[in-house]
Amino acid sequence: MAADGLHENETLASLKSEAESLKGKLEEERAKLHDVELHQVAERVEALGQFVMKTRRTLKGHGNKVLCMDWCKDKRRLVSSSQEHAVTMPCTWVMACAYAPSGCAIACGGLDNKCSVYPLTFDKNENMAAKKKSVAMHTNYLSACSFTNSDMQILTASGDGTCALWDVESGQLLQSFHGHGADVLCLDLAPSETGNTFVSGGCDKKAMVWDMRSGQCVQAFETHESDINSVRYYPSGDAFASGSDDATCRLYDLRADREVAIYSKESIIFGASSVDFSLSGRLLFAGYNDYTINVWDVLKGSRVSILFGHENRVSTLRVSPDGTAFCSGSWDHTLRVWA
Amino acid sequence: MKEGMPNNSTASISQARKAVEQLKMEACRDRVKVSQAAADLLAYCEAHVREDPLIIPVPASENPFREKKFFCTIL
């Protein structure tokens, strides 16, 4: 009936205006607690000394752009993936890869919309492809994957706008996470002490924190002006950093429920593709599309160093588990280990 | 009437309701002042900076990446 149509339209409009007013209230509440800036509190902290960080190893072996890498917990091995035909992967872009906590398997996926787990073997006669197990199945590309605290579960992020938690053994979907309005590009698990949450970032410019058990979004942050390419928890689990195509990195504190720092410079105009913290959380390493790596003082908000070396976009960056070095991967086909 | 329409609006209404529920939930969470949160971030850094090899470098002999002896191989 025409009357019903009108009723439905009114409900939609009133729901939208309720949402707008709630957003306004949220901003008000957050603003009330914004009593100081992080860098002001950090004025009393000693400035960092001069940084001498150099490429210590250059790993050449990929035939094409390096897209992703991850360290093994043994701190000496790493897995990396790239845009090329490989015997074991039938598709061209392997966009995500992760090492299992035990060091006995790796997970990877990309344009095949899947995340597959490969048990690792160093026996040259064994065909790794034969033991491959397809675990996750999305309806668009896989952008990120991570094992949870064991080899038994994998968390995935996808171009289909969702994240999902899977059981490795059965391939069963345990939980799905809906809320992003566009492709999800990255995710990071909270340090185990802080509970079962993870953060994701997407093309909708939002960073969202999720409860892994309920599938519920617990917090959302929308201050970036473009795609969020990378998210990483601060080591205490109370905050996380993000890197975006808007050429900034930002720090969000979960207990203050707001952005508390922006790492940017007028001279930096290319997107940040990948971020990671040093062990203490004092340094933030960020790889950019202008081929450089900027090192930021997380507390003071200033840049402490700029590292040159890559000859194309830096696409991935991870600090080693023991914090002695970090590795960057690039479209220049190489990986560099810096210390 | 237009039977096709209700499907579209039903979906939008349910989405709008979810958005409102989500915002209500986010509105009532506990928050701390930035000064408190900042103090905690600082405290964590200060407590762990001595164990951060990229800030307080360990002797070159203990950092395998600074040692020239080790090489990398593709496994």
Side-chain angles (χ1 to χ4, degrees):
Chain A
M1 283 290 310
D4 281 343
L6 253 181
H7 176 68
E8 283 178 351
N9 280 341
E10 274 178 41
T11 311
L12 189 62
S14 65
L15 281 172
K16 290 204 165 159
S17 82
E18 198 181 348
E20 281 317 300
S21 100
L22 279 169
K23 272 190 194 165
K25 281 219 180 90
L26 204 55
E27 279 323 298
E28 262 177 51
E29 290 303 310
R30 282 172 167 168
K32 279 184 198 163
L33 300 164
H34 190 193
D35 54 348
V36 79
E37 297 292 339
L38 172 62
H39 64 83
Q40 289 171 302
V41 176
E43 268 160 27
R44 63 174 180 80
V45 179
E46 238 181 81
L48 293 165
Q50 264 287 44
F51 270 91
V52 182
M53 230 174 280
K54 297 196 275 198
T55 301
R56 305 288 174 171
R57 300 282 187 278
T58 304
L59 309 178
K60 303 179 189 188
H62 276 293
N64 215 315
K65 300 173 179 167
V66 177
L67 302 175
C68 187
M69 59 83 42
D70 190 20
W71 289 88
C72 178
K73 286 205 159 64
D74 75 357
K75 313 153 211 170
R76 297 295 163 253
R77 285 181 291 167
L78 49 88
V79 64
S80 59
S81 63
S82 89
Q83 175 205 22
E84 63 192 330
H85 281 291
V87 175
T88 49
M89 287 289 299
C91 72
T92 52
W93 288 73
V94 182
M95 302 165 75
C97 62
Y99 233 117
S102 67
C104 299
I106 56 153
C108 58
L111 289 188
D112 59 349
N113 298 359
K114 293 193 257 190
C115 183
S116 306
V117 175
Y118 295 78
L120 288 176
T121 169
F122 301 116
D123 178 351
K124 291 201 161 55
N125 297 323
E126 278 238 53
N127 182 2
M128 258 181 67
K131 301 244 160 124
K132 156 183 149 176
K133 187 197 232 6
S134 269
V135 173
M137 189 57 145
H138 279 279
T139 54
N140 209 323
Y141 65 90
L142 187 88
S143 55
C145 63
S146 175
F147 283 87
T148 61
N149 295 323
S150 74
D151 286 16
M152 297 290 89
Q153 291 181 353
I154 286 189
L155 198 53
T156 57
S158 167
D160 66 14
T162 72
C163 296
L165 181 66
W166 310 82
D167 177 270
V168 173
E169 193 54 51
S170 63
Q172 199 193 351
L173 173 68
L174 299 171
Q175 187 62 262
S176 67
F177 307 88
H178 296 258
H180 275 287
D183 307 23
V184 188
L185 298 179
C186 51
L187 63 82
D188 192 35
L189 259 114
S192 35
E193 310 79 55
T194 39
N196 292 343
T197 58
F198 73 94
V199 60
S200 63
C203 290
D204 57 356
K205 313 174 199 169
K206 287 205 280 200
M208 301 178 83
V209 182
W210 307 88
D211 179 320
M212 273 166 66
R213 276 172 292 206
S214 67
Q216 196 59 355
C217 165
V218 294
Q219 278 171 286
F221 303 90
E222 204 171 347
T223 61
H224 270 292
E225 294 167 19
S226 188
D227 300 0
I228 297 179
N229 299 312
S230 177
V231 285
R232 192 75 67 210
Y233 270 93
Y234 185 78
S236 70
D238 286 335
F240 69 89
S242 57
S244 162
D245 274 351
D246 68 8
T248 72
C249 297
R250 295 174 197 236
L251 186 71
Y252 297 90
D253 188 284
L254 296 174
R255 295 173 327 133
D257 190 32
R258 64 175 300 121
E259 174 193 293
V260 292
I262 306 186
Y263 308 101
S264 67
K265 268 179 123 60
E266 267 184 43
S267 52
I268 301 176
I269 57 172
F270 283 82
S273 62
S274 193
V275 299
D276 202 0
F277 286 101
S278 70
L279 230 54
S280 63
R282 182 67 191 270
L283 298 174
L284 181 71
F285 300 98
Y288 291 75
N289 293 339
D290 65 1
Y291 316 173
T292 67
I293 293 166
N294 286 302
V295 186
W296 301 92
D297 180 327
V298 170
L299 304 177
K300 292 187 183 281
S302 53
R303 179 172 66 184
V304 295
S305 192
I306 175 168
L307 304 173
F308 300 97
H310 278 297
E311 294 164 15
N312 207 318
R313 288 192 188 195
V314 179
S315 53
T316 180
L317 187 158
R318 295 295 283 265
V319 172
S320 68
D322 61 2
T324 53
F326 72 90
C327 180
S328 57
S330 163
W331 283 17
D332 69 6
H333 305 191
T334 71
L335 290 141
R336 281 170 183 256
V337 180
W338 308 76
Chain B
M1 228 208 76
K2 300 173 178 25
E3 287 307 317
M5 290 297 282
N7 279 338
N8 251 345
S9 9
T10 320
S12 327
I13 289 186
S14 110
Q15 237 181 332
R17 275 209 192 100
K18 279 195 192 136
V20 168
E21 287 315 309
Q22 178 68 32
L23 285 164
K24 280 188 180 156
M25 196 205 63
E26 289 183 36
C28 59
R29 68 188 329 274
D30 286 321
R31 288 178 192 85
V32 309
K33 284 191 182 166
V34 176
S35 49
Q36 176 66 62
D40 291 345
L41 291 174
L42 253 72
Y44 186 91
C45 267
E46 286 177 54
H48 291 86
V49 73
R50 256 155 292 282
E51 304 145 18
D52 190 336
L54 289 170
I55 296 187
I56 311 245
V58 297
S61 53
E62 283 172 34
N63 184 336
F65 295 109
R66 289 193 175 185
E67 266 280 359
K68 293 258 181 209
K69 281 202 297 216
F70 300 99
F71 296 94
C72 298
T73 54
I74 299 179
L75 296 170

